[in-house]
Short mmCIF file of all heavy atoms in Angstrom, two decimals:
data_model
loop_
_atom_site.label_atom_id
_atom_site.label_comp_id
_atom_site.label_asym_id
_atom_site.label_seq_id
_atom_site.Cartn_x
_atom_site.Cartn_y
_atom_site.Cartn_z
N LEU A 41 -62.93 -68.57 46.42
CA LEU A 41 -62.07 -68.34 47.67
C LEU A 41 -62.06 -66.78 47.86
O LEU A 41 -61.79 -65.95 46.87
CB LEU A 41 -60.77 -68.77 47.31
CG LEU A 41 -60.44 -70.28 47.26
CD1 LEU A 41 -58.99 -70.42 46.94
CD2 LEU A 41 -60.61 -70.86 48.77
N THR A 63 -62.74 -76.77 41.41
CA THR A 63 -61.97 -75.68 40.93
C THR A 63 -62.16 -74.44 41.99
O THR A 63 -63.29 -73.90 41.90
CB THR A 63 -62.44 -75.14 39.47
OG1 THR A 63 -62.25 -76.31 38.60
CG2 THR A 63 -61.57 -74.03 39.03
N PRO A 64 -61.09 -74.26 42.59
CA PRO A 64 -61.17 -73.04 43.60
C PRO A 64 -60.85 -71.75 42.71
O PRO A 64 -59.79 -71.78 42.08
CB PRO A 64 -60.18 -73.27 44.57
CG PRO A 64 -59.53 -74.64 44.31
CD PRO A 64 -59.82 -74.98 42.86
N VAL A 65 -61.69 -70.79 42.75
CA VAL A 65 -61.46 -69.57 41.93
C VAL A 65 -61.29 -68.38 42.96
O VAL A 65 -62.05 -68.17 43.85
CB VAL A 65 -62.82 -69.28 41.06
CG1 VAL A 65 -62.55 -67.95 40.38
CG2 VAL A 65 -63.01 -70.46 40.16
N TYR A 66 -60.25 -67.68 42.77
CA TYR A 66 -59.91 -66.65 43.55
C TYR A 66 -60.00 -65.41 42.66
O TYR A 66 -59.09 -65.26 41.73
CB TYR A 66 -58.67 -66.65 44.22
CG TYR A 66 -58.21 -65.53 44.98
CD1 TYR A 66 -58.65 -65.06 46.25
CD2 TYR A 66 -57.22 -64.60 44.43
CE1 TYR A 66 -58.21 -64.02 46.94
CE2 TYR A 66 -56.81 -63.42 45.12
CZ TYR A 66 -57.28 -63.13 46.28
OH TYR A 66 -56.90 -61.97 46.92
N VAL A 67 -60.80 -64.48 42.83
CA VAL A 67 -60.90 -63.25 41.99
C VAL A 67 -60.24 -62.06 42.74
O VAL A 67 -60.69 -61.66 43.89
CB VAL A 67 -62.40 -62.85 41.71
CG1 VAL A 67 -62.43 -61.53 40.86
CG2 VAL A 67 -63.12 -63.94 41.00
N ASP A 68 -59.08 -61.59 42.15
CA ASP A 68 -58.47 -60.49 42.82
C ASP A 68 -59.15 -59.31 42.30
O ASP A 68 -58.98 -58.82 41.25
CB ASP A 68 -57.02 -60.43 42.40
CG ASP A 68 -56.28 -59.23 43.17
OD1 ASP A 68 -56.89 -58.46 43.81
OD2 ASP A 68 -54.98 -59.33 43.18
N GLU A 76 -52.64 -60.29 50.21
CA GLU A 76 -53.69 -61.42 50.39
C GLU A 76 -53.49 -62.45 49.11
O GLU A 76 -53.58 -63.53 49.26
CB GLU A 76 -55.06 -60.86 50.47
CG GLU A 76 -56.17 -61.92 50.74
CD GLU A 76 -57.31 -61.31 51.52
OE1 GLU A 76 -57.55 -60.17 51.32
OE2 GLU A 76 -57.75 -62.08 52.39
N THR A 77 -53.46 -61.77 48.00
CA THR A 77 -53.36 -62.58 46.66
C THR A 77 -52.17 -63.59 46.79
O THR A 77 -52.29 -64.73 46.55
CB THR A 77 -53.33 -61.76 45.48
OG1 THR A 77 -54.56 -60.91 45.45
CG2 THR A 77 -53.39 -62.53 44.28
N ASP A 78 -51.03 -63.00 47.14
CA ASP A 78 -49.80 -63.88 47.34
C ASP A 78 -50.07 -64.91 48.30
O ASP A 78 -49.60 -66.13 48.19
CB ASP A 78 -48.54 -62.92 47.72
CG ASP A 78 -48.29 -62.08 46.62
OD1 ASP A 78 -48.53 -62.31 45.46
OD2 ASP A 78 -47.57 -61.08 46.83
N GLN A 79 -50.69 -64.62 49.40
CA GLN A 79 -50.97 -65.68 50.50
C GLN A 79 -51.79 -66.73 49.97
O GLN A 79 -51.58 -67.86 50.22
CB GLN A 79 -51.76 -64.74 51.55
CG GLN A 79 -52.06 -65.46 52.86
CD GLN A 79 -50.71 -66.08 53.45
OE1 GLN A 79 -49.85 -65.18 53.70
NE2 GLN A 79 -50.69 -67.26 53.85
N ILE A 80 -52.86 -66.41 49.20
CA ILE A 80 -53.79 -67.39 48.66
C ILE A 80 -52.99 -68.35 47.68
O ILE A 80 -53.06 -69.52 47.74
CB ILE A 80 -54.81 -66.70 47.84
CG1 ILE A 80 -55.82 -65.95 48.79
CG2 ILE A 80 -55.64 -67.72 46.95
CD1 ILE A 80 -56.78 -66.82 49.45
N ARG A 81 -52.20 -67.67 46.85
CA ARG A 81 -51.42 -68.47 45.93
C ARG A 81 -50.56 -69.54 46.57
O ARG A 81 -50.41 -70.69 46.13
CB ARG A 81 -50.56 -67.47 45.08
CG ARG A 81 -50.08 -67.91 43.75
CD ARG A 81 -49.15 -67.06 43.03
NE ARG A 81 -49.53 -65.64 42.98
CZ ARG A 81 -50.23 -65.08 41.97
NH1 ARG A 81 -50.54 -65.97 41.01
NH2 ARG A 81 -50.63 -63.85 41.95
N GLU A 82 -49.97 -69.06 47.68
CA GLU A 82 -48.98 -69.99 48.48
C GLU A 82 -49.71 -71.06 49.18
O GLU A 82 -49.47 -72.29 49.13
CB GLU A 82 -48.25 -69.05 49.36
CG GLU A 82 -46.96 -69.71 49.83
CD GLU A 82 -46.27 -68.65 50.78
OE1 GLU A 82 -46.03 -67.54 50.41
OE2 GLU A 82 -45.93 -69.06 51.95
N PHE A 84 -52.83 -72.25 48.83
CA PHE A 84 -53.52 -73.30 48.13
C PHE A 84 -52.72 -73.79 46.86
O PHE A 84 -53.28 -74.43 45.91
CB PHE A 84 -54.89 -72.77 47.58
CG PHE A 84 -55.77 -72.38 48.83
CD1 PHE A 84 -55.85 -71.07 49.35
CD2 PHE A 84 -56.30 -73.43 49.52
CE1 PHE A 84 -56.71 -70.87 50.38
CE2 PHE A 84 -57.15 -73.23 50.69
CZ PHE A 84 -57.36 -71.80 51.16
N SER A 85 -51.47 -73.64 46.91
CA SER A 85 -50.56 -74.08 45.78
C SER A 85 -50.65 -75.62 45.59
O SER A 85 -50.38 -76.07 44.45
CB SER A 85 -49.13 -73.57 46.06
OG SER A 85 -48.68 -74.25 47.14
N SER A 89 -55.89 -77.30 40.55
CA SER A 89 -56.93 -76.55 39.79
C SER A 89 -57.22 -75.17 40.25
O SER A 89 -58.09 -74.43 39.74
CB SER A 89 -58.19 -77.45 40.12
OG SER A 89 -58.33 -77.72 41.44
N LEU A 90 -56.44 -74.63 41.17
CA LEU A 90 -56.62 -73.11 41.63
C LEU A 90 -56.52 -72.20 40.47
O LEU A 90 -55.62 -72.35 39.60
CB LEU A 90 -55.60 -72.86 42.57
CG LEU A 90 -55.53 -71.38 43.09
CD1 LEU A 90 -56.75 -71.06 43.91
CD2 LEU A 90 -54.30 -71.21 43.91
N ARG A 91 -57.48 -71.32 40.33
CA ARG A 91 -57.45 -70.30 39.34
C ARG A 91 -57.48 -68.91 39.96
O ARG A 91 -58.33 -68.62 40.81
CB ARG A 91 -58.71 -70.32 38.43
CG ARG A 91 -58.67 -71.61 37.64
CD ARG A 91 -59.65 -71.53 36.42
NE ARG A 91 -59.75 -72.92 35.93
CZ ARG A 91 -60.57 -73.29 34.97
NH1 ARG A 91 -61.44 -72.24 34.46
NH2 ARG A 91 -60.66 -74.39 34.57
N ILE A 92 -56.45 -68.04 39.61
CA ILE A 92 -56.51 -66.73 40.15
C ILE A 92 -56.91 -65.76 39.07
O ILE A 92 -56.12 -65.73 38.03
CB ILE A 92 -55.04 -66.35 40.72
CG1 ILE A 92 -55.03 -67.27 41.99
CG2 ILE A 92 -54.99 -64.92 41.10
CD1 ILE A 92 -53.77 -67.17 42.90
N VAL A 93 -57.94 -64.97 39.27
CA VAL A 93 -58.39 -63.98 38.14
C VAL A 93 -57.98 -62.64 38.55
O VAL A 93 -58.33 -62.10 39.49
CB VAL A 93 -59.96 -64.12 38.05
CG1 VAL A 93 -60.42 -63.25 36.93
CG2 VAL A 93 -60.37 -65.58 37.94
N GLU A 94 -57.30 -61.94 37.59
CA GLU A 94 -56.71 -60.70 37.83
C GLU A 94 -57.85 -59.63 37.38
O GLU A 94 -57.85 -59.35 36.15
CB GLU A 94 -55.45 -60.38 37.08
CG GLU A 94 -54.29 -61.31 37.39
CD GLU A 94 -53.59 -61.07 38.74
OE1 GLU A 94 -53.90 -60.00 39.32
OE2 GLU A 94 -52.71 -61.87 39.11
N ALA A 95 -58.64 -59.20 38.14
CA ALA A 95 -59.76 -58.29 37.68
C ALA A 95 -59.79 -56.93 38.38
O ALA A 95 -60.81 -56.20 38.27
CB ALA A 95 -61.10 -59.06 38.09
N GLN A 96 -58.57 -56.46 38.88
CA GLN A 96 -58.58 -55.25 39.53
C GLN A 96 -59.18 -54.10 38.78
O GLN A 96 -60.00 -53.24 39.25
CB GLN A 96 -57.15 -54.80 39.92
CG GLN A 96 -56.53 -55.93 40.87
CD GLN A 96 -55.69 -56.97 40.14
OE1 GLN A 96 -56.09 -57.40 39.08
NE2 GLN A 96 -54.52 -57.32 40.79
N ARG A 98 -61.06 -54.03 36.15
CA ARG A 98 -62.61 -54.21 35.82
C ARG A 98 -63.41 -53.75 37.00
O ARG A 98 -64.56 -53.20 36.88
CB ARG A 98 -62.92 -55.47 35.40
CG ARG A 98 -62.17 -55.81 34.00
CD ARG A 98 -62.83 -57.12 33.45
NE ARG A 98 -62.41 -58.49 34.13
CZ ARG A 98 -61.19 -59.09 33.91
NH1 ARG A 98 -60.29 -58.63 33.17
NH2 ARG A 98 -61.05 -60.18 34.60
N ARG A 126 -67.71 -67.05 34.32
CA ARG A 126 -66.90 -67.47 33.20
C ARG A 126 -66.07 -68.68 33.69
O ARG A 126 -65.76 -69.65 32.84
CB ARG A 126 -65.95 -66.29 32.87
CG ARG A 126 -65.28 -66.28 31.50
CD ARG A 126 -64.31 -65.19 31.31
NE ARG A 126 -63.42 -64.90 32.48
CZ ARG A 126 -63.42 -63.59 33.13
NH1 ARG A 126 -64.14 -62.77 32.73
NH2 ARG A 126 -62.63 -63.62 34.20
N GLU A 127 -65.40 -68.55 34.79
CA GLU A 127 -64.67 -69.75 35.32
C GLU A 127 -65.45 -70.89 35.66
O GLU A 127 -65.04 -72.04 35.23
CB GLU A 127 -63.94 -69.28 36.70
CG GLU A 127 -63.02 -67.90 36.60
CD GLU A 127 -61.98 -68.11 35.53
OE1 GLU A 127 -61.37 -69.16 35.39
OE2 GLU A 127 -61.79 -67.17 34.77
#
Side-chain angles (χ1 to χ4, degrees):
Chain A
L41 284 175
T63 300
V65 176
Y66 173 81
V67 178
D68 186 345
E76 187 149 36
T77 302
D78 292 338
Q79 184 62 46
I80 290 282
R81 206 187 303 273
E82 201 179 304
F84 297 103
S85 59
S89 48
L90 174 66
R91 297 196 190 171
I92 291 182
V93 183
E94 306 280 354
Q96 299 94 319
R98 293 193 290 276
R126 192 181 55 232
E127 302 302 317

